[in-house]
């Protein structure tokens, strides 16, 4: 029961934060733009993702969130009243937490051949890469993920572990 009480408090805080951020963003910018940092951890050179691959995947993601896909005409009639442009865009970060210029793509060699779902990839002490401050960036780790296509943290989880992990 105590876990549920904490969970509902955390969920409520997250909803308030999103509502406030959305309201402020709508007034100031028209869109919520989320800076993204991609941590590409590779062991073999063939596991490095290119800038173009990252940009193409962000375009696909943005098209989905903005409802710009060419297949939106295939939305089942029952869902059409709910389908919408959610006015969220994902953009590669242009500066890091020190305000230094960045491409938003962090490539790092690792001796690890394959990663599990234990979040070690999110720790430089475990040969991974530390998250950037999740209050300001969406962290995406791309790696050779053992037996899974990907996973993400749960809202309200440890901010140092916040983000998405995707198999190469």
């Amino acid at each position: 029961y105590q876990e549920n009480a904490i969970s509902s408090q955390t969920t409520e805080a997250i909803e308030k934060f999103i509502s406030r951020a959305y309201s402020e963003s709508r007034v100031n910018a028209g869109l919520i733009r989320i800076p993204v940092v991609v941590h590409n951890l590779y062991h073999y050179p063939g596991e490095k993702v290119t800038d173009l691959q990252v940009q193409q995947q962000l375009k696909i993601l943005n098209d989905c969130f903005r409802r710009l896909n060419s297949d939106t005409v295939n939305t089942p009639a029952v869902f059409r009243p709910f389908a919408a442009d959610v006015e969220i865009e994902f953009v590669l970060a242009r500066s890091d937490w020190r305000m230094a210029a960045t491409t938003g793509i962090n490539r790092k060699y690792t001796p690890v051949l394959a990663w599990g779902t234990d979040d070690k990839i999110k720790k430089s002490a475990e040969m991974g890469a530390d998250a950037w401050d999740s209050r300001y960036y969406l962290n995406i780790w791309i790696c050779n993920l053992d037996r899974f296509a990907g996973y993400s943290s749960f809202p309200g989880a440890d901010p140092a572990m916040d983000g998405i992990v995707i198999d190469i």
Side-chain angles (χ1 to χ4, degrees), residues 18-38:
I18 291 170
S19 178
R20 185 173 52 251
Y22 183 74
S23 296
E24 292 169 5
S25 176
R26 294 280 299 146
V27 170
N28 295 329
L31 292 172
I32 296 175
R33 288 193 175 88
I34 299 175
V36 174
V37 59
V38 174

PDB file of all heavy atoms in Angstrom, residues 18-38:
ATOM      1  N   ILE A  18       4.355  18.185 -16.295  1.00  0.00           N
ATOM      2  CA  ILE A  18       4.075  18.158 -17.733  1.00  0.00           C
ATOM      3  C   ILE A  18       3.055  19.227 -18.090  1.00  0.00           C
ATOM      4  O   ILE A  18       3.210  19.944 -19.079  1.00  0.00           O
ATOM      5  CB  ILE A  18       3.587  16.759 -18.171  1.00  0.00           C
ATOM      6  CG1 ILE A  18       4.745  15.758 -18.073  1.00  0.00           C
ATOM      7  CG2 ILE A  18       3.014  16.783 -19.579  1.00  0.00           C
ATOM      8  CD1 ILE A  18       4.333  14.314 -18.234  1.00  0.00           C
ATOM      9  N   SER A  19       2.025  19.358 -17.293  1.00  0.00           N
ATOM     10  CA  SER A  19       0.996  20.366 -17.557  1.00  0.00           C
ATOM     11  C   SER A  19       1.587  21.767 -17.536  1.00  0.00           C
ATOM     12  O   SER A  19       1.316  22.593 -18.409  1.00  0.00           O
ATOM     13  CB  SER A  19      -0.116  20.247 -16.515  1.00  0.00           C
ATOM     14  OG  SER A  19      -1.089  21.238 -16.725  1.00  0.00           O
ATOM     15  N   ARG A  20       2.429  22.052 -16.546  1.00  0.00           N
ATOM     16  CA  ARG A  20       3.065  23.368 -16.436  1.00  0.00           C
ATOM     17  C   ARG A  20       4.012  23.600 -17.610  1.00  0.00           C
ATOM     18  O   ARG A  20       3.983  24.646 -18.253  1.00  0.00           O
ATOM     19  CB  ARG A  20       3.803  23.482 -15.103  1.00  0.00           C
ATOM     20  CG  ARG A  20       4.387  24.859 -14.846  1.00  0.00           C
ATOM     21  CD  ARG A  20       4.975  25.001 -13.433  1.00  0.00           C
ATOM     22  NE  ARG A  20       5.918  23.945 -13.092  1.00  0.00           N
ATOM     23  CZ  ARG A  20       5.670  22.968 -12.208  1.00  0.00           C
ATOM     24  NH1 ARG A  20       4.509  22.902 -11.586  1.00  0.00           N
ATOM     25  NH2 ARG A  20       6.587  22.061 -11.955  1.00  0.00           N
ATOM     26  N   ALA A  21       4.827  22.603 -17.939  1.00  0.00           N
ATOM     27  CA  ALA A  21       5.765  22.734 -19.060  1.00  0.00           C
ATOM     28  C   ALA A  21       5.023  22.920 -20.364  1.00  0.00           C
ATOM     29  O   ALA A  21       5.406  23.732 -21.203  1.00  0.00           O
ATOM     30  CB  ALA A  21       6.677  21.505 -19.137  1.00  0.00           C
ATOM     31  N   TYR A  22       3.929  22.183 -20.528  1.00  0.00           N
ATOM     32  CA  TYR A  22       3.157  22.277 -21.764  1.00  0.00           C
ATOM     33  C   TYR A  22       2.532  23.664 -21.878  1.00  0.00           C
ATOM     34  O   TYR A  22       2.598  24.299 -22.924  1.00  0.00           O
ATOM     35  CB  TYR A  22       2.070  21.196 -21.799  1.00  0.00           C
ATOM     36  CG  TYR A  22       1.292  21.197 -23.081  1.00  0.00           C
ATOM     37  CD1 TYR A  22       1.855  20.705 -24.247  1.00  0.00           C
ATOM     38  CD2 TYR A  22      -0.005  21.693 -23.130  1.00  0.00           C
ATOM     39  CE1 TYR A  22       1.156  20.707 -25.435  1.00  0.00           C
ATOM     40  CE2 TYR A  22      -0.717  21.696 -24.314  1.00  0.00           C
ATOM     41  CZ  TYR A  22      -0.143  21.204 -25.463  1.00  0.00           C
ATOM     42  OH  TYR A  22      -0.835  21.212 -26.634  1.00  0.00           O
ATOM     43  N   SER A  23       1.950  24.161 -20.784  1.00  0.00           N
ATOM     44  CA  SER A  23       1.326  25.482 -20.814  1.00  0.00           C
ATOM     45  C   SER A  23       2.341  26.567 -21.132  1.00  0.00           C
ATOM     46  O   SER A  23       2.104  27.435 -21.963  1.00  0.00           O
ATOM     47  CB  SER A  23       0.660  25.788 -19.470  1.00  0.00           C
ATOM     48  OG  SER A  23      -0.382  24.882 -19.225  1.00  0.00           O
ATOM     49  N   GLU A  24       3.494  26.523 -20.456  1.00  0.00           N
ATOM     50  CA  GLU A  24       4.530  27.527 -20.689  1.00  0.00           C
ATOM     51  C   GLU A  24       5.059  27.434 -22.113  1.00  0.00           C
ATOM     52  O   GLU A  24       5.261  28.446 -22.779  1.00  0.00           O
ATOM     53  CB  GLU A  24       5.673  27.344 -19.692  1.00  0.00           C
ATOM     54  CG  GLU A  24       5.271  27.679 -18.278  1.00  0.00           C
ATOM     55  CD  GLU A  24       6.306  27.243 -17.255  1.00  0.00           C
ATOM     56  OE1 GLU A  24       7.383  26.758 -17.653  1.00  0.00           O
ATOM     57  OE2 GLU A  24       6.023  27.394 -16.055  1.00  0.00           O
ATOM     58  N   SER A  25       5.262  26.225 -22.592  1.00  0.00           N
ATOM     59  CA  SER A  25       5.787  26.032 -23.934  1.00  0.00           C
ATOM     60  C   SER A  25       4.792  26.521 -24.981  1.00  0.00           C
ATOM     61  O   SER A  25       5.160  27.131 -25.964  1.00  0.00           O
ATOM     62  CB  SER A  25       6.120  24.556 -24.165  1.00  0.00           C
ATOM     63  OG  SER A  25       6.545  24.365 -25.485  1.00  0.00           O
ATOM     64  N   ARG A  26       3.512  26.237 -24.779  1.00  0.00           N
ATOM     65  CA  ARG A  26       2.495  26.633 -25.748  1.00  0.00           C
ATOM     66  C   ARG A  26       2.449  28.155 -25.858  1.00  0.00           C
ATOM     67  O   ARG A  26       2.293  28.680 -26.941  1.00  0.00           O
ATOM     68  CB  ARG A  26       1.115  26.100 -25.333  1.00  0.00           C
ATOM     69  CG  ARG A  26       0.990  24.621 -25.372  1.00  0.00           C
ATOM     70  CD  ARG A  26       0.755  24.080 -26.745  1.00  0.00           C
ATOM     71  NE  ARG A  26      -0.486  24.616 -27.242  1.00  0.00           N
ATOM     72  CZ  ARG A  26      -0.717  24.904 -28.502  1.00  0.00           C
ATOM     73  NH1 ARG A  26       0.193  24.692 -29.388  1.00  0.00           N
ATOM     74  NH2 ARG A  26      -1.858  25.391 -28.890  1.00  0.00           N
ATOM     75  N   VAL A  27       2.571  28.828 -24.751  1.00  0.00           N
ATOM     76  CA  VAL A  27       2.521  30.281 -24.763  1.00  0.00           C
ATOM     77  C   VAL A  27       3.763  30.856 -25.436  1.00  0.00           C
ATOM     78  O   VAL A  27       3.683  31.772 -26.245  1.00  0.00           O
ATOM     79  CB  VAL A  27       2.400  30.841 -23.322  1.00  0.00           C
ATOM     80  CG1 VAL A  27       2.582  32.338 -23.302  1.00  0.00           C
ATOM     81  CG2 VAL A  27       1.059  30.444 -22.727  1.00  0.00           C
ATOM     82  N   ASN A  28       4.929  30.276 -25.140  1.00  0.00           N
ATOM     83  CA  ASN A  28       6.185  30.835 -25.622  1.00  0.00           C
ATOM     84  C   ASN A  28       6.624  30.342 -26.994  1.00  0.00           C
ATOM     85  O   ASN A  28       7.214  31.084 -27.743  1.00  0.00           O
ATOM     86  CB  ASN A  28       7.305  30.532 -24.616  1.00  0.00           C
ATOM     87  CG  ASN A  28       7.062  31.227 -23.301  1.00  0.00           C
ATOM     88  OD1 ASN A  28       6.477  32.303 -23.265  1.00  0.00           O
ATOM     89  ND2 ASN A  28       7.474  30.609 -22.219  1.00  0.00           N
ATOM     90  N   ALA A  29       6.368  29.095 -27.317  1.00  0.00           N
ATOM     91  CA  ALA A  29       6.980  28.543 -28.520  1.00  0.00           C
ATOM     92  C   ALA A  29       6.003  27.863 -29.477  1.00  0.00           C
ATOM     93  O   ALA A  29       6.342  27.638 -30.618  1.00  0.00           O
ATOM     94  CB  ALA A  29       8.070  27.548 -28.124  1.00  0.00           C
ATOM     95  N   GLY A  30       4.818  27.531 -29.051  1.00  0.00           N
ATOM     96  CA  GLY A  30       3.890  26.823 -29.916  1.00  0.00           C
ATOM     97  C   GLY A  30       4.116  25.327 -29.931  1.00  0.00           C
ATOM     98  O   GLY A  30       3.204  24.570 -30.184  1.00  0.00           O
ATOM     99  N   LEU A  31       5.324  24.878 -29.685  1.00  0.00           N
ATOM    100  CA  LEU A  31       5.669  23.465 -29.656  1.00  0.00           C
ATOM    101  C   LEU A  31       6.524  23.179 -28.437  1.00  0.00           C
ATOM    102  O   LEU A  31       7.264  24.039 -27.979  1.00  0.00           O
ATOM    103  CB  LEU A  31       6.506  23.078 -30.882  1.00  0.00           C
ATOM    104  CG  LEU A  31       5.850  23.094 -32.243  1.00  0.00           C
ATOM    105  CD1 LEU A  31       6.905  22.868 -33.325  1.00  0.00           C
ATOM    106  CD2 LEU A  31       4.767  22.050 -32.341  1.00  0.00           C
ATOM    107  N   ILE A  32       6.425  21.955 -27.967  1.00  0.00           N
ATOM    108  CA  ILE A  32       7.366  21.510 -26.950  1.00  0.00           C
ATOM    109  C   ILE A  32       8.522  20.874 -27.706  1.00  0.00           C
ATOM    110  O   ILE A  32       8.337  19.915 -28.447  1.00  0.00           O
ATOM    111  CB  ILE A  32       6.719  20.490 -25.994  1.00  0.00           C
ATOM    112  CG1 ILE A  32       5.580  21.137 -25.211  1.00  0.00           C
ATOM    113  CG2 ILE A  32       7.767  19.897 -25.053  1.00  0.00           C
ATOM    114  CD1 ILE A  32       4.812  20.174 -24.333  1.00  0.00           C
ATOM    115  N   ARG A  33       9.689  21.434 -27.568  1.00  0.00           N
ATOM    116  CA  ARG A  33      10.890  20.886 -28.210  1.00  0.00           C
ATOM    117  C   ARG A  33      11.745  20.239 -27.126  1.00  0.00           C
ATOM    118  O   ARG A  33      12.152  20.893 -26.176  1.00  0.00           O
ATOM    119  CB  ARG A  33      11.656  21.983 -28.936  1.00  0.00           C
ATOM    120  CG  ARG A  33      10.936  22.425 -30.184  1.00  0.00           C
ATOM    121  CD  ARG A  33      11.798  23.275 -31.099  1.00  0.00           C
ATOM    122  NE  ARG A  33      11.088  23.554 -32.321  1.00  0.00           N
ATOM    123  CZ  ARG A  33      10.272  24.591 -32.496  1.00  0.00           C
ATOM    124  NH1 ARG A  33      10.072  25.443 -31.519  1.00  0.00           N
ATOM    125  NH2 ARG A  33       9.663  24.767 -33.651  1.00  0.00           N
ATOM    126  N   ILE A  34      11.996  18.967 -27.317  1.00  0.00           N
ATOM    127  CA  ILE A  34      12.743  18.195 -26.325  1.00  0.00           C
ATOM    128  C   ILE A  34      14.142  17.915 -26.851  1.00  0.00           C
ATOM    129  O   ILE A  34      14.302  17.208 -27.846  1.00  0.00           O
ATOM    130  CB  ILE A  34      12.008  16.878 -26.010  1.00  0.00           C
ATOM    131  CG1 ILE A  34      10.617  17.203 -25.441  1.00  0.00           C
ATOM    132  CG2 ILE A  34      12.829  16.021 -25.050  1.00  0.00           C
ATOM    133  CD1 ILE A  34       9.747  16.001 -25.198  1.00  0.00           C
ATOM    134  N   PRO A  35      15.171  18.488 -26.201  1.00  0.00           N
ATOM    135  CA  PRO A  35      16.546  18.191 -26.613  1.00  0.00           C
ATOM    136  C   PRO A  35      16.899  16.733 -26.313  1.00  0.00           C
ATOM    137  O   PRO A  35      16.606  16.225 -25.231  1.00  0.00           O
ATOM    138  CB  PRO A  35      17.404  19.138 -25.769  1.00  0.00           C
ATOM    139  CG  PRO A  35      16.461  20.141 -25.209  1.00  0.00           C
ATOM    140  CD  PRO A  35      15.119  19.474 -25.130  1.00  0.00           C
ATOM    141  N   VAL A  36      17.500  16.080 -27.285  1.00  0.00           N
ATOM    142  CA  VAL A  36      17.841  14.663 -27.188  1.00  0.00           C
ATOM    143  C   VAL A  36      19.349  14.506 -27.244  1.00  0.00           C
ATOM    144  O   VAL A  36      20.019  15.159 -28.039  1.00  0.00           O
ATOM    145  CB  VAL A  36      17.207  13.888 -28.367  1.00  0.00           C
ATOM    146  CG1 VAL A  36      17.662  12.433 -28.372  1.00  0.00           C
ATOM    147  CG2 VAL A  36      15.690  13.996 -28.336  1.00  0.00           C
ATOM    148  N   VAL A  37      19.878  13.636 -26.392  1.00  0.00           N
ATOM    149  CA  VAL A  37      21.269  13.211 -26.517  1.00  0.00           C
ATOM    150  C   VAL A  37      21.253  11.714 -26.773  1.00  0.00           C
ATOM    151  O   VAL A  37      20.580  10.956 -26.081  1.00  0.00           O
ATOM    152  CB  VAL A  37      22.135  13.578 -25.288  1.00  0.00           C
ATOM    153  CG1 VAL A  37      21.608  12.965 -24.017  1.00  0.00           C
ATOM    154  CG2 VAL A  37      23.573  13.168 -25.514  1.00  0.00           C
ATOM    155  N   VAL A  38      21.948  11.310 -27.824  1.00  0.00           N
ATOM    156  CA  VAL A  38      22.048   9.906 -28.196  1.00  0.00           C
ATOM    157  C   VAL A  38      23.421   9.406 -27.765  1.00  0.00           C
ATOM    158  O   VAL A  38      24.440   9.931 -28.196  1.00  0.00           O
ATOM    159  CB  VAL A  38      21.857   9.719 -29.722  1.00  0.00           C
ATOM    160  CG1 VAL A  38      22.106   8.275 -30.123  1.00  0.00           C
ATOM    161  CG2 VAL A  38      20.474  10.179 -30.142  1.00  0.00           C
TER     162      VAL A  38
END
